[in-house]
Amino acid sequence: MTPDEKKQQVAKAALEYVEPDMIIGIGTGSTANHFIDALAAIKHTIEGTVASSQASADRLKSHHIPVLDLNGVREIDIYFDGADEATKYLHLVKGGGGALTREKIVAAVSKKFVCVADDSKLVDVLGAFPLPIEVIPMARSYVAREVVKLGGKPIWRENFVTDNGNHILDVHNLNIAEPVKLEQQLNQIAGVVTNGLFAQRPADILMLGTDSGIQIIE
Ligand code: 5RP
């Protein structure tokens, strides 16, 4: 199977966690897109969705799936999203698509977070995939210098602006042995909106599409 076929397979399988009248958090990226397409088949059974990006909101609306404003929602029942890297401890690196901040907000408000990915995303140690950091534009160079002090090599994702009007630094060369600690450290730098480590609020369930079916880690 190709990676995309595995993403489609796992996205469809994740529907088993959807129950009647749920409010569902929706991630961003190709795996989330497969999930949205699969969800369309049962859209009449759910109450609505909260999208983590404009792109996902647009795709949901194209299927006539209701998209709710998070400010009108007290709690999201369950959140489905992909990842760029995941460990067996359910710590993730996210933000390859640049939607990390809204994804982190949706994850925070959700009772359960189901991460769906193809099996190439499972790693022993996070950090081979460059860690995205969303920064306030005027702080970009300052944050980059601070990240260098922590051993990272930040690269500005040029010609990209997030849904929140900010910039992204992709940080190479990090060996993330202590994800919770690094997530906190990076978020304390002035000008950082958030970083793509999902360790303080990890996934609750990791579903991986593999050649031999779905692997579940929880
Ligand atoms: C977007 C993300 C995505 O979940 C991540 O980049 C994985 O994407 P894909 O499902 O296309 O492999 O964090 O900001």
Side-chain angles (χ1 to χ4, degrees), residues 112-184:
K112 190 179 276 190
F113 176 8
V114 180
C115 180
V116 282
D118 71 273
D119 57 357
S120 72
K121 306 290 181 71
L122 185 64
V123 296
D124 288 330
V125 181
L126 301 173
F129 188 92
L131 178 66
I133 304 182
E134 179 162 352
V135 297
I136 301 291
M138 72 172 283
R140 192 187 65 240
S141 298
Y142 168 70
V143 173
R145 290 193 296 275
E146 292 300 302
V147 165
V148 168
K149 289 182 196 165
L150 295 174
K153 187 183 170 213
I155 307 280
W156 176 24
R157 201 183 293 182
E158 287 188 71
N159 304 317
F160 182 85
V161 176
T162 69
D163 282 352
N164 314 306
N166 296 318
H167 291 176
I168 298 276
L169 293 172
D170 291 305
V171 185
H172 298 247
N173 288 356
L174 288 173
N175 187 325
I176 307 174
E178 295 180 281
V180 175
K181 190 174 162 196
L182 185 64
E183 182 177 359
Q184 284 169 347

Side-chain angles (χ1 to χ4, degrees), residues 19-33:
E19 292 171 16
D21 303 319
M22 276 184 159
I23 295 180
I24 299 176
I26 304 287
T28 299
S30 56
T31 319
N33 282 344

Side-chain angles (χ1 to χ4, degrees), residues 21-126:
D21 303 319
M22 276 184 159
I23 295 180
I24 299 176
I26 304 287
T28 299
S30 56
T31 319
N33 282 344
H34 284 307
F35 181 78
I36 292 169
D37 297 345
L39 186 65
I42 57 163
K43 64 184 175 191
H44 300 296
T45 70
I46 64 169
E47 185 167 330
T49 62
V50 174
S52 63
S53 63
Q54 195 52 53
S56 291
D58 291 345
R59 197 174 186 103
L60 287 158
K61 286 175 191 165
S62 77
H63 285 295
H64 304 286
I65 299 173
V67 179
L68 309 172
D69 181 341
L70 182 58
N71 288 307
V73 169
R74 192 165 186 83
E75 201 166 47
I76 296 170
D77 293 295
I78 191 162
Y79 171 43
F80 297 92
D81 199 359
D84 299 302
E85 286 184 336
T87 68
K88 64 180 178 187
Y89 305 109
L90 309 182
H91 296 148
L92 312 173
V93 166
K94 293 184 44 53
L100 60 157
T101 299
R102 294 189 186 200
E103 291 171 343
K104 208 173 263 198
I105 294 166
V106 174
V109 183
S110 296
K111 281 194 269 186
K112 190 179 276 190
F113 176 8
V114 180
C115 180
V116 282
D118 71 273
D119 57 357
S120 72
K121 306 290 181 71
L122 185 64
V123 296
D124 288 330
V125 181
L126 301 173

